[in-house]
Amino acid sequence: PTSILPLWMTNSKMTQWSLVSNLPPEQRSGFTKGFPYTLRCLLGDWLENQPWEFINSSDSFCVGLADRLLSAMLEKLQDLANQNCQPGPILQLTANVEHTFRREPLQLVDVIKKILEGEQALLCEKFQSLPLSIQRQREELMFGFYLQKVQYRVKEIQALRESLMQMNGNPRGAVQQNPLELQFPTQESLQVTSLQNLHALFLETTKELEEAKKQVLMRFQIWKWQQQLAGNGTPCTEDLTPLQKRFENLVDVCFQLRQQLVASGTELSSDLPLRLQERLDNVFSALIKNSFLVDKQPPQVLKTQTKFQATVRFLLGPLLLKPPHTTFTVTADIVTEKQARELAAGRPENILCESTGEIVNNVAPLETNTTSSTCCAIFKNMLLKKIKRCDRKSTESVTEEKCAVLFHAKVNLGPNKTTFRLQALSLPIVVIVHGNQDNNARATILWDNAFAEPGRIPFMVTERVSWKAMCETLNQKFMAEVQTTNGLCKEHYFFLAQKIFGDRPEDFQNLKVSWAQFNKVTQWVLKAGRGSGELGFPGHAHASSWHLQEVLPGRGFTFWQWFEGVLELTKKYLKEYWSDGLIMGFISKQYVHSCLIKEPVGTFLLRFSDSEIGGISIAYVTRLPDGSPQVENIQPFTAKQLSIRSLADCVLDLQQLEILYPCRPKHESFRTNAEVPRTTPYVRARMMIKVDESSFGSHSDLAICTYPPPTTSSLGSSTGSYSMPDMLDVDMDIGLPNNTATYPRNMDFTLPPNMMGMPDNISPPSEEDLVQMLHRDQDMHHGFLNLGSTMTNICS
């Protein structure tokens, strides 16, 4: 979809100039008025790595920063001239820039801002969005600008305080140095003015510190949101070190400003120090509490009695917990959605009074690693021993119930040993007790990770999302699970939309998908019995049978259950074929028919089964007896079959398949592995599949036979073959369920004589029998073994 950036757009090294320089010259040179385009080319990436766009005033800080940027630009151009064999033109441009802007460096800032803003507008028009690396670079420049500004203000406060101290120490000095009292202000008036400036400077600096804190916390929320999306497979490789450095820088500035405030206490008005102290305490407390986070999340689908791991990190630990210090510990507890809401509302005192579950090995020390400059508590062997379920609505399932792990600790910081309560909540978790709940639990987590708004009330999430947002989520999940760069396309989205919404003529982009359409699985309807017409859960005393309300029309499964089945099949058995573009995948039978009906006989394509979970089918063109073309669909291959014989082998086995749609010979597209050298004294048997042509007109069934072709064996009695369904199901993993018709039937193969156990009640084979068994050139059907018969004789 257009809202998803191509992978190259997410490159962390992508720069604004690298994209702009590839645009036509007439586009990129239109907004360089007042600044030679040659200079823009020479400066390249350097220009966009400076905070030009955030210089928005004419105060002393901005003027000084603009002047330093001008000097840095001139130095950069001088270095480029020294590296050039013909430095004359560059030196001339350098001289012109210095002559034009040295007296008014803010004019240079305005010119550069217009150039960069024009380039960004061009990129947004071309790509619909700026690359992530450019957005992140701008955000880093903005924070750096605010941090420098606050640090500059603190130095101004210190300089003004020192000036006031000099005035107080020499009250008549200024008068003696300046006898023209009528033309110059007196010492007393200078002191009053300086005090007023000091008041204003404290207020302004505190406000700018609060603004810088907002920038840090906003970046922290972005990191948490990225971690949340990473639960669905979105790449998240951001290092926490730069964010930790931001927290440390602001705490350092906060300490410096607090020192200046304490030192200026007698010079300020009575209530100002208290008000400023309270604001600084709030800034410091917010930085402390938000720097405690879950670095490595516990599994979001958590099974009881299963070990799991997690890591929490205290970003300010290396700065504030320098040795020697008291050893602190972190505790992990399971909390319900209601308790998480109490925590978010600022009422943590009663959260752990009511037990909702028991986690074993839930305490870990908070340790500082001086080498990596990190402070972490690592939980290696936690185990959720039990869980107490909450009251749910009648339409909710246990796989829709969300909880979380609360990590909490108490630390004493500062010379006064002030106690801070550190708390960090994990991402939402669905607790299951059986593996068959995993699929629906993963649906709950996928929906929550994708569509939960930042800063929400735990764990509220919308019940309906746009189809466009759903497409982005499905595409990212598919690419992450399959580990491929080959994502879904518009034809795939059209088919998926039809599967959810049905065959509607309107534009799917304007529709919304509800949670019920996605994976609502708890609508149990009583079909018969003494309690007929009641609602409840399976196993009700008055129920004779229960029926799971189907979400997809005509199917016994939900959309997510079907889609997740495709994910698992592709991830385990079809990854290479999908990545190589050999599987068309998410398309309907009608679309397949329109593609193939006019193609030559033997043309085929591969699509995911629409009616079966985790199946892939082959559609191919054949001819009916009257010569008219016919599109046949081979019964879907499932994981059971593909674990026995690869998709490539299956395609190469079927003689009816010749050309992969549209025009790729199958022997070029599907290549089998190299021959495995013989390492045993036995003759290897290779299974092959074929189409059961007697079933034309519906799904084409399959038969599996051995290769080389065996002959029928009649050992003594009238028994002509040994049928081994039970042995195959256990030892060779090709047994077939009795209640399904989705697997290949008539799976027959023959064992060489030296592999067969000889029953005592069967006489040895005659010479004629042995001669017959050694001949391998007879018809294939003589060697088929019927898997429907029993293996009593072999097992006896």
Side-chain angles (χ1 to χ4, degrees):
T2 55
S3 61
I4 296 180
L5 291 175
L7 290 178
W8 64 269
M9 290 279 286
T10 62
N11 186 352
S12 60
K13 298 182 180 180
M14 185 69 63
T15 63
Q16 181 170 316
W17 177 245
S18 65
L19 295 175
V20 172
S21 58
N22 291 323
L23 297 176
E26 59 273 12
Q27 292 186 17
R28 61 182 188 238
S29 60
F31 36 77
T32 57
K33 185 178 180 180
F35 194 79
Y37 179 69
T38 304
L39 279 180
R40 177 65 185 101
C41 296
L42 287 172
L43 294 172
D45 299 338
W46 180 89
L47 202 65
E48 65 195 68
N49 292 331
Q50 314 305 322
W52 307 96
E53 59 181 306
F54 306 108
I55 302 177
N56 50 13
S57 64
S58 57
D59 58 10
S60 58
F61 171 73
C62 290
V63 172
L65 180 58
D67 188 70
R68 292 193 299 272
L69 288 176
L70 173 59
S71 299
M73 178 186 292
L74 297 176
E75 184 179 352
K76 176 71 174 178
L77 292 173
Q78 186 68 46
D79 292 340
L80 292 174
N82 295 336
Q83 300 171 12
N84 198 294
C85 58
Q86 295 181 349
I90 300 179
L91 292 176
Q92 182 61 46
L93 290 172
T94 304
N96 293 340
V97 169
E98 183 171 19
H99 179 266
T100 305
F101 300 110
R102 176 54 74 182
R103 292 187 177 182
E104 294 292 339
L106 290 177
Q107 292 183 1
L108 175 65
V109 172
D110 293 337
V111 171
I112 302 300
K113 286 171 67 174
K114 291 179 181 179
I115 293 175
L116 296 178
E117 290 171 357
E119 292 177 351
Q120 292 167 8
L122 279 179
L123 296 179
C124 288
E125 181 180 355
K126 183 175 179 61
F127 303 111
Q128 288 79 48
S129 177
L130 287 177
L132 297 180
S133 59
I134 298 178
Q135 298 180 35
R136 183 170 298 179
Q137 175 69 15
R138 293 181 63 200
E139 192 272 335
E140 291 176 354
L141 289 174
M142 180 172 61
F143 174 77
F145 174 82
Y146 280 112
L147 178 62
Q148 291 183 45
K149 194 171 185 179
V150 173
Q151 292 172 336
Y152 179 83
R153 298 298 184 215
V154 173
K155 293 180 179 179
E156 279 189 320
I157 290 175
Q158 182 178 358
L160 190 55
R161 279 193 56 255
E162 292 176 352
S163 176
L164 281 171
M165 291 175 61
Q166 291 179 357
M167 292 180 185
N168 293 332
N170 186 14
R172 304 183 62 84
V175 178
Q176 296 175 356
Q177 296 173 7
N178 184 14
L180 303 177
E181 295 182 2
L182 297 177
Q183 299 181 19
F184 297 93
T186 62
Q187 179 77 4
E188 290 77 7
S189 63
L190 284 173
Q191 287 180 319
V192 172
T193 303
S194 297
L195 284 174
Q196 292 175 347
N197 292 340
L198 186 61
H199 286 206
L201 202 52
F202 265 115
L203 292 172
E204 184 179 1
T205 306
T206 304
K207 181 180 178 180
E208 291 174 350
L209 177 62
E210 292 170 335
E211 184 63 32
K213 180 208 69 176
K214 289 180 181 180
Q215 295 296 329
V216 170
L217 297 186
M218 183 184 301
R219 189 72 195 89
F220 173 62
Q221 291 299 324
I222 292 175
W223 178 85
K224 290 179 65 176
W225 183 61
Q226 290 175 333
Q227 188 187 50
Q228 174 181 314
L229 293 180
N232 287 350
T234 303
C236 181
T237 58
E238 182 177 356
D239 186 10
L240 279 173
T241 302
L243 185 61
Q244 174 175 316
K245 191 65 177 177
R246 293 189 185 190
F247 274 90
E248 292 175 345
N249 286 334
L250 284 192
V251 167
D252 185 58
V253 172
C254 190
F255 283 160
Q256 294 180 25
L257 189 56
R258 187 195 300 268
Q259 291 176 352
Q260 296 298 327
L261 182 62
V262 172
S264 305
T266 58
E267 301 167 352
L268 301 175
S269 58
S270 58
D271 62 332
L272 183 61
L274 294 178
R275 289 189 287 114
L276 291 179
Q277 184 69 41
E278 182 179 1
R279 292 171 64 180
L280 292 179
D281 289 342
N282 291 336
V283 170
F284 182 68
S285 178
L287 293 174
I288 290 292
K289 293 179 179 180
N290 284 278
S291 66
F292 188 70
L293 50 87
V294 184
D295 188 5
K296 180 183 177 182
Q297 292 283 342
Q300 289 189 263
V301 177
L302 183 59
K303 187 178 179 181
T304 56
Q305 303 299 327
T306 302
K307 290 185 178 181
F308 65 97
Q309 299 179 347
T311 302
V312 294
R313 181 169 173 178
F314 186 28
L315 297 181
L316 289 174
L319 177 66
L320 302 178
L321 300 180
K322 294 180 179 180
H325 65 80
T326 304
T327 301
F328 302 105
T329 59
V330 181
T331 305
D333 290 293
I334 194 80
V335 295
T336 63
E337 182 173 340
K338 179 182 178 181
Q339 290 173 317
R341 292 182 181 180
E342 294 288 331
L343 178 65
R347 299 187 292 271
E349 56 277 357
N350 298 323
I351 286 182
L352 300 178
C353 294
E354 180 182 357
S355 175
T356 57
E358 180 182 353
I359 298 180
V360 180
N361 300 324
N362 66 331
V363 179
L366 188 62
E367 300 175 325
T368 301
N369 187 322
T370 56
T371 303
S372 60
S373 188
T374 58
C375 181
C376 298
I378 302 176
F379 298 82
K380 297 181 179 180
N381 294 295
M382 286 192 293
L383 182 142
L384 182 59
K385 188 175 182 180
K386 60 182 180 179
I387 184 69
K388 180 182 178 181
R389 298 293 186 183
C390 299
D391 295 334
R392 299 183 304 276
K393 299 178 182 178
S394 60
T395 59
E396 287 185 349
S397 164
V398 293
T399 56
E400 296 178 77
E401 179 183 341
K402 289 175 280 190
C403 55
V405 176
L406 173 63
F407 299 93
H408 54 98
K410 290 184 179 180
V411 296
N412 302 320
L413 302 176
N416 298 327
K417 300 297 180 180
T418 304
T419 301
F420 288 88
R421 184 190 299 269
L422 305 180
Q423 296 173 332
L425 202 63
S426 74
L427 290 174
I429 290 173
V430 174
V431 177
I432 63 176
V433 297
H434 195 279
N436 60 13
Q437 298 174 317
D438 181 76
N439 179 282
N440 294 322
R442 290 176 64 183
T444 300
I445 294 301
L446 178 74
W447 186 279
D448 193 275
N449 286 342
F451 309 124
E453 295 291 338
R456 60 157 175 191
I457 299 175
F459 294 110
M460 296 184 64
V461 63
T462 179
E463 286 286 328
R464 303 177 68 87
V465 298
S466 68
W467 174 241
K468 183 178 181 181
M470 175 57 70
C471 288
E472 295 177 1
T473 300
L474 294 177
N475 180 67
Q476 187 59 62
K477 184 65 175 178
F478 186 90
M479 294 174 66
E481 288 288 330
V482 181
Q483 296 182 351
T484 180
T485 58
N486 192 7
L488 307 183
C489 63
K490 61 180 182 180
E491 289 81 10
H492 298 150
Y493 295 135
F494 184 81
F495 169 73
L496 295 175
Q498 287 183 318
K499 199 159 186 67
I500 284 187
F501 301 115
D503 296 329
R504 296 186 179 184
E506 61 261 33
D507 184 10
F508 294 122
Q509 295 294 335
N510 298 325
L511 298 180
K512 287 185 177 293
V513 184
S514 68
W515 165 249
Q517 289 172 306
F518 183 70
N519 194 61
K520 191 66 175 179
V521 296
T522 56
Q523 299 174 5
W524 292 90
V525 180
L526 187 59
K527 296 178 65 178
R530 288 180 295 164
S532 180
E534 298 179 4
L535 294 177
F537 295 95
H540 191 276
H542 298 288
S544 61
S545 66
W546 290 87
H547 172 63
L548 181 60
Q549 190 73 31
E550 297 177 0
V551 175
L552 294 179
R555 307 299 182 203
F557 45 80
T558 66
F559 173 84
W560 165 252
Q561 290 169 347
W562 171 83
F563 186 82
E564 204 262 349
V566 172
L567 282 182
E568 290 299 313
L569 183 73
T570 309
K571 177 172 63 176
K572 293 180 179 178
Y573 302 106
L574 306 176
K575 174 182 176 181
E576 291 76 14
Y577 308 112
W578 174 270
S579 299
D580 293 340
L582 304 180
I583 299 176
M584 193 165 287
F586 299 100
I587 53 175
S588 64
K589 285 185 179 180
Q590 295 79 4
Y591 185 85
V592 169
H593 187 273
S594 64
C595 291
L596 295 181
I597 193 62
K598 296 182 180 180
E599 296 297 325
V601 173
T603 305
F604 69 98
L605 56 78
L606 298 96
R607 57 177 288 271
F608 297 124
S609 174
D610 180 38
S611 59
E612 188 165 338
I613 295 178
I616 184 170
S617 179
I618 302 177
Y620 68 99
V621 182
T622 185
R623 292 283 181 189
L624 294 178
D626 60 2
S628 59
Q630 172 78 11
V631 177
E632 291 287 350
N633 292 275
I634 297 178
Q635 196 168 353
F637 296 90
T638 61
K640 188 75 172 181
Q641 296 164 286
L642 295 178
S643 65
I644 302 171
R645 192 144 176 81
S646 70
L647 180 63
D649 289 331
C650 294
V651 170
L652 295 175
D653 284 347
L654 298 175
Q655 301 302 317
Q656 293 83 357
L657 311 181
E658 298 178 3
I659 301 173
L660 179 65
Y661 180 84
C663 57
R664 299 174 65 177
K666 73 172 183 179
H667 289 282
E668 295 180 5
S669 303
F670 297 89
R671 295 182 177 88
T672 58
N673 295 329
E675 284 292 329
V676 180
R678 180 174 174 178
T679 58
T680 68
Y682 300 117
V683 177
R684 290 190 305 109
R686 181 165 64 90
M687 288 182 298
M688 297 182 65
I689 67 170
K690 71 173 185 177
V691 173
D692 183 1
E693 297 182 354
S694 63
S695 61
F696 278 177
S698 58
H699 290 294
S700 296
D701 291 340
L702 302 176
I704 294 185
C705 60
T706 56
Y707 183 85
T711 60
T712 303
S713 173
S714 56
L715 299 181
S717 67
S718 60
T719 304
S721 63
Y722 289 105
S723 302
M724 303 178 297
D726 297 331
M727 177 181 287
L728 293 179
D729 187 44
V730 176
D731 296 337
M732 299 190 66
D733 196 29
I734 58 174
L736 306 178
N738 297 324
N739 59 350
T740 178
T742 61
Y743 300 105
R745 58 182 184 153
N746 301 328
M747 299 177 62
D748 306 331
F749 66 94
T750 299
L751 294 175
N754 57 356
M755 291 181 65
M756 296 187 292
M758 187 67 65
D760 295 335
N761 60 344
I762 298 180
S763 60
S766 64
E767 293 183 0
E768 290 79 4
D769 292 331
L770 292 175
V771 171
Q772 185 180 11
M773 291 175 61
L774 293 175
H775 283 79
R776 296 288 186 176
D777 55 351
Q778 299 186 21
D779 295 337
M780 181 73 74
H781 67 275
H782 293 302
F784 289 169
L785 297 176
N786 185 2
L787 287 184
S789 59
T790 63
M791 54 173 295
T792 305
N793 291 334
I794 286 186
C795 295
S796 62

